[in-house]
Amino acid sequence: MNREFRADASGPLHAASQAQPNIALVKYWGKRDAALNLPAVGSISITLDSLWTRTEVRFVPGQKGDQVSLNGRSDEAEAKRITACLDLLRQRAAVDWGAQVASRNNFPTAAGLASSASGFAALVHAGANALGLALSEAEQSVLARRCSGSAARSIFGGYVQWAHGRLADGTDSVAEPLLAAGAWPLRVAVAITSKAAKQVGSSEGMRRTAQTSPYQSAWVDTQEADLAVARDAILARDFQALAQISEYSCLKMHALAMAAQPGLLYWNGATMECMHRVRALRQQGLPVFFTVDAGPQLKAVCEPSAIEQVKAALRDVPGVLDVLDTGLGEGAKAIAPELVEA
């Protein structure tokens, strides 16, 4: 860490960034160190394109505390997490300036669509730029992980692997790209089955699962094999193999969580029906598979030629409120500040 650096108050101290949520195909669930957000297992994800978080950060010398606006509103719990994240950047820059932060999503927040991943990736990217910190993508990934585990992956685009790491300080628990988005441009139909925030957040769900689920050790012990299968499938562009391992990892994660005490039920009836619908489409020869994170939204990943049929089938499921269509996207990037409110 560059502890000799000190940000220059004569500089702009102002930047904005955009990051996209990611969907884990081989799931992350459970932490080996909650304070550092070190995962119990590695994971592989895809970064989305059409869904985004845009965040503007302005540091103000002399200001005490941070002023935070999320989607035009204040959220005390999230503001504390944002301050903790900014503190990591302030420590790197050797400053104590307060910040003004405005962040906006174009998709439902805290509803199983990885808004924390895109949000904290955008925050780290914008905050580092505002302070003039020349951080590598790997360094940004480590800092983003400290703020929200899966945010480590949203620093990068396309297909991404996040290593669980072995070092106690977490410096080797970093994400890295596996394959560029354009190298295998799959599409994703997101079936929105609820716009409400989930009752049990991911952090609490992981803690409860690790402490009470009888399947926790099996989950950890089998993950490396799953990662190897998924890596090979991605590098070979083998859709059938990726479909099989992704649905397997998804259902295994949810079985793990359901077996906690009390059990975690992130799905609703429409989620289940969407799973059946996707499997019926695949039995008909359509290249599509599902995955579901800690929430009720189903993501149907498919070859581009199948996207219209997949969307139509999901829209026909009772309880589906909307179906979003997205390709695979790039990693966190700088944007013009006016786009945050555009």
Side-chain angles (χ1 to χ4, degrees):
M1 295 178 63
N2 182 7
R3 296 187 182 278
E4 299 302 317
F5 176 86
R6 182 175 176 84
D8 181 2
S10 66
L13 305 180
H14 181 209
S17 297
Q18 175 176 309
Q20 282 75 239
N22 67 77
I23 295 171
L25 302 182
V26 177
K27 299 297 190 187
Y28 151 55
W29 194 251
K31 301 177 183 183
R32 64 183 176 92
D33 186 314
L36 295 176
N37 271 340
L38 298 180
V41 295
S43 56
I44 290 177
S45 65
I46 49 177
T47 302
L48 304 182
D49 181 22
S50 301
L51 311 184
W52 46 253
T53 298
R54 291 174 177 171
T55 299
E56 180 181 8
V57 179
R58 183 188 300 272
F59 288 95
V60 182
Q63 177 178 307
K64 299 300 181 183
D66 301 316
Q67 299 172 5
V68 177
S69 171
L70 301 175
N71 295 311
R73 295 178 295 183
S74 60
D75 183 317
E76 184 176 351
E78 280 301 296
K80 289 180 179 178
R81 294 182 68 191
I82 287 170
T83 290
C85 188
L86 291 174
D87 284 344
L88 298 175
L89 295 170
R90 284 185 278 247
Q91 182 182 17
R92 293 290 291 261
V95 300
D96 60 358
W97 305 326
Q100 298 171 358
V101 178
S103 187
R104 184 166 65 90
N105 299 326
N106 71 338
F107 60 96
T109 301
L113 285 173
S115 57
S116 287
S118 56
F120 283 101
L123 180 67
V124 166
H125 193 275
N129 286 344
L131 289 172
L133 292 169
L135 301 180
S136 67
E137 288 182 323
E139 289 175 309
Q140 292 176 49
S141 178
V142 168
L143 287 173
R145 183 211 76 224
R146 293 279 304 275
C147 305
S148 177
S150 55
R153 299 186 304 238
S154 279
I155 294 295
F156 302 96
Y159 301 79
V160 181
Q161 176 166 316
W162 174 21
H164 67 82
R166 300 188 182 279
L167 299 178
D169 66 1
T171 52
D172 61 342
S173 180
V174 61
E176 61 180 349
L178 285 175
L179 191 68
W184 194 16
L186 299 179
R187 296 203 65 84
V188 183
V190 182
I192 305 296
T193 66
S194 174
K195 295 187 178 180
K198 54 195 177 189
Q199 292 185 345
V200 180
S202 294
S203 293
E204 168 57 21
M206 289 183 197
R207 185 201 62 77
R208 185 188 304 178
T209 301
Q211 291 183 354
T212 65
S213 177
Y215 305 146
Q216 178 70 17
S217 60
W219 167 252
V220 174
D221 292 344
T222 58
Q223 189 79 342
E224 287 301 322
D226 294 350
L227 290 168
V229 171
R231 277 195 305 269
D232 289 346
I234 289 167
L235 296 177
R237 281 73 152 178
D238 185 335
F239 188 87
Q240 183 176 353
L242 187 61
Q244 183 175 355
I245 192 63
S246 297
E247 289 193 2
Y248 174 65
S249 180
C250 168
L251 295 175
K252 187 162 60 169
M253 185 203 90
H254 283 278
L256 170 75
M258 287 178 188
Q261 296 184 18
L264 296 158
L265 298 172
Y266 285 111
W267 302 338
N268 57 33
T271 312
M272 287 287 294
E273 184 54 39
C274 285
M275 292 182 195
H276 291 305
R277 194 65 57 94
V278 167
R279 286 195 162 177
L281 291 173
R282 193 162 69 250
Q283 288 174 354
Q284 296 166 18
L286 216 62
V288 60
F289 65 86
F290 68 76
T291 189
V292 186
D293 291 313
Q297 329 302 357
L298 179 132
K299 296 87 175 180
V301 182
C302 64
E303 295 279 6
S305 60
I307 188 64
E308 293 304 324
Q309 286 176 268
V310 171
K311 289 193 298 182
L314 293 176
R315 286 195 181 105
D316 192 47
V317 173
V320 171
L321 306 177
D322 194 10
V323 177
L324 310 179
D325 176 2
T326 177
L328 306 191
E330 299 178 353
K333 63 182 180 181
I335 60 172
E338 55 265 25
L339 290 177
V340 175
E341 299 301 328

